[in-house]
Amino acid sequence: MAGSVPEIQIQVNSKKGGNSIHPVEPARTSAGGGPPVVYREIKHFKKWFPWLIPSFVIANVVTFLVTMYVNNCPHNSVSCVAGFLGRFSFQPFSENPLLGPSSNTLEKMGALDVNKVVHEHEGWRLITCMWLHGGVFHLLANMLSLIVIGIRLEREFGFVRIGLLYIIAGLGGSLFSALFIKSNISVGASGALFGLLGSMLSELIINWTIYANKLTVLVTLVVIIVINLAVGILPHVDNFAHIGGFMSGFLLGFVFLIRPQFGWVSQRYASSAYSSTSAKPKFKLYQMVLWVISLILLIIGFTGGLVMLLRGVDLNDHCSWCHYMSCVPTSRWSCNTEPVSCMNLGWGCKFELHFPIRSCSLSKQITS
């Protein structure tokens, strides 16, 4: 064909705005005098209707209500908070300052108890603990975070990928926590929430070329991540679940949230002459490298973690400083497991429910 091949120019809108790619020149006349070459509007990044994340929020709320019904405070405690709620009333503040059930009830409902996972083959607790919460404050903090982060991700990437990412990251957080915390039981969705946060960072990295304000977005994400992980060094917060969930979500983001480069997208809407002379691969080389490395690390990490957990390995025995990742003692607080007053610590905190170490008494105390 005589004449030069028409060049397609595209305008990329950032994710904060629209998500369509529009040709700058919508039509041209072909060099041979034939019909004009029309470039249609490219709508590559489909917007999904977010229904799974709201369903997860409803499931967590319903599970909490069922837990409170099973708890039945008037039946097992002398005094209850908000006694007018009947069997839905809360345990005394001295036992659970989060406005929630007893630790015995949470254990019965499926809280993460490493002893039961290893010795009684109750591996399902690694999943069920994600849907339990220590109280109203704990539930509200996690669900608000899930709505803010999860709905945006589901709208961009769909319910299948975000649903799998949420569950697998939550499992990763529970698994990492179980390798370090042996004497306490834990509940909370924060491992999965930190997984979503980690996937936002890896999604930015693997789809680096589509962002207009790359450094601004990167700095903002890193600051948010550092602040939230720093909260975990306060006492009685399961930061191991935060770290495990974040690492799992970070690697899963490379696997699940990869997007084709725009050169490959645009050639699908170009004329045959343009496509044949400047064909581009669907993904860039660095994207494929990150995808393969992340998948390998995920397989190794989950396999190795499960094997060590089932063999009863305590990673504290092999890492003398690792306990500082979950709590750093200062003159203002201690990192022991004595019952203390609880405090809502903000975004996505996963709270530990501490057993008295000296015995297996049923009178367990709940702390944050």
Side-chain angles (χ1 to χ4, degrees):
M1 178 182 296
S4 61
V5 177
E7 178 183 358
I8 291 185
Q9 298 177 340
I10 60 177
Q11 174 184 346
V12 180
N13 295 326
S14 68
K15 285 190 173 184
K16 293 183 179 179
N19 66 337
S20 300
I21 308 171
H22 305 277
V24 175
E25 297 180 3
R28 287 191 184 185
T29 303
S30 63
V37 180
V38 178
Y39 299 103
R40 297 166 296 170
E41 180 183 17
I42 302 174
K43 294 183 178 179
H44 175 57
F45 299 141
K46 174 183 178 181
K47 288 289 187 181
W48 298 79
F49 177 77
W51 62 269
L52 185 63
I53 293 300
S55 299
F56 282 172
V57 173
I58 294 173
N60 277 277
V61 173
V62 170
T63 302
F64 180 74
L65 292 176
V66 172
T67 303
M68 294 307 304
Y69 181 85
V70 173
N71 184 66
N72 193 8
C73 179
H75 181 72
N76 59 45
S77 181
V78 176
S79 63
C80 301
V81 178
F84 62 89
L85 295 175
R87 67 183 300 152
F88 290 96
S89 57
F90 310 111
Q91 295 298 121
F93 279 111
S94 60
E95 181 179 349
N96 185 351
L98 291 173
L99 292 180
S102 67
S103 57
N104 288 331
T105 300
L106 288 169
E107 183 183 6
K108 184 189 303 182
M109 293 293 294
L112 178 58
D113 181 350
V114 176
N115 182 64
K116 291 183 179 295
V117 171
V118 175
H119 301 292
E120 300 182 24
H121 309 292
E122 297 181 1
W124 46 268
R125 290 180 178 271
L126 294 169
I127 297 293
T128 56
C129 68
M130 296 165 45
W131 307 94
L132 298 171
H133 288 83
V136 173
F137 299 140
H138 189 196
L139 178 69
L140 287 177
N142 279 349
M143 292 305 99
L144 288 175
S145 302
L146 179 57
I147 290 172
V148 171
I149 298 174
I151 287 182
R152 173 205 174 270
L153 287 172
E154 186 181 354
R155 185 180 289 118
E156 293 287 339
F157 297 98
F159 68 93
V160 174
R161 285 187 281 183
I162 299 306
L164 287 173
L165 197 154
Y166 181 88
I167 298 297
I168 298 173
L171 174 61
S174 298
L175 182 58
F176 196 69
S177 172
L179 291 173
F180 286 95
I181 299 177
K182 301 294 183 179
S183 60
N184 309 323
I185 62 176
S186 296
V187 295
S190 59
L193 289 171
F194 269 85
L196 295 181
L197 192 60
S199 72
M200 292 175 66
L201 179 60
S202 56
E203 189 269 329
L204 169 64
I205 295 172
I206 200 167
N207 300 320
W208 184 255
T209 58
I210 74 174
Y211 281 91
N213 301 317
K214 303 176 179 65
L215 293 180
T216 301
V217 177
L218 178 61
V219 170
T220 301
L221 272 177
V222 170
V223 169
I224 292 173
I225 291 167
V226 170
I227 291 175
N228 283 287
L229 287 177
V231 168
I233 67 175
L234 296 172
H236 311 290
V237 178
D238 186 359
N239 207 33
F240 290 117
H242 297 176
I243 296 171
F246 176 80
M247 293 190 302
S248 300
F250 182 71
L251 295 175
L252 288 166
F254 289 124
V255 176
F256 286 152
L257 307 185
I258 185 173
R259 278 177 159 163
Q261 60 169 314
F262 282 142
W264 177 85
V265 176
S266 62
Q267 73 187 11
R268 298 174 62 192
Y269 292 82
S271 64
S272 58
Y274 177 84
S275 298
S276 62
T277 57
S278 57
K280 294 182 179 292
K282 186 172 184 180
F283 300 105
K284 292 181 179 292
L285 177 60
Y286 84 92
Q287 290 179 300
M288 297 307 300
V289 170
L290 287 172
W291 190 91
V292 172
I293 292 176
S294 298
L295 184 61
I296 292 174
L297 290 177
L298 281 168
I299 294 173
I300 294 175
F302 275 88
T303 303
L306 285 171
V307 170
M308 287 189 290
L309 174 62
L310 296 178
R311 289 185 175 180
V313 174
D314 186 346
L315 289 185
N316 291 296
D317 296 335
H318 306 277
C319 180
S320 59
W321 57 268
C322 284
H323 62 279
Y324 292 118
M325 292 191 296
S326 188
C327 182
V328 176
T330 69
S331 59
R332 302 179 67 91
W333 64 69
S334 172
C335 290
N336 60 37
T337 57
E338 292 299 320
V340 298
S341 61
C342 183
M343 181 172 57
N344 184 17
L345 298 174
W347 192 93
C349 292
K350 179 154 185 165
F351 297 92
E352 299 173 22
L353 308 171
H354 296 290
F355 286 92
I357 295 177
R358 55 185 170 78
S359 69
C360 294
S361 169
L362 294 178
S363 57
K364 302 163 190 169
Q365 297 289 332
I366 178 172
T367 60
S368 63

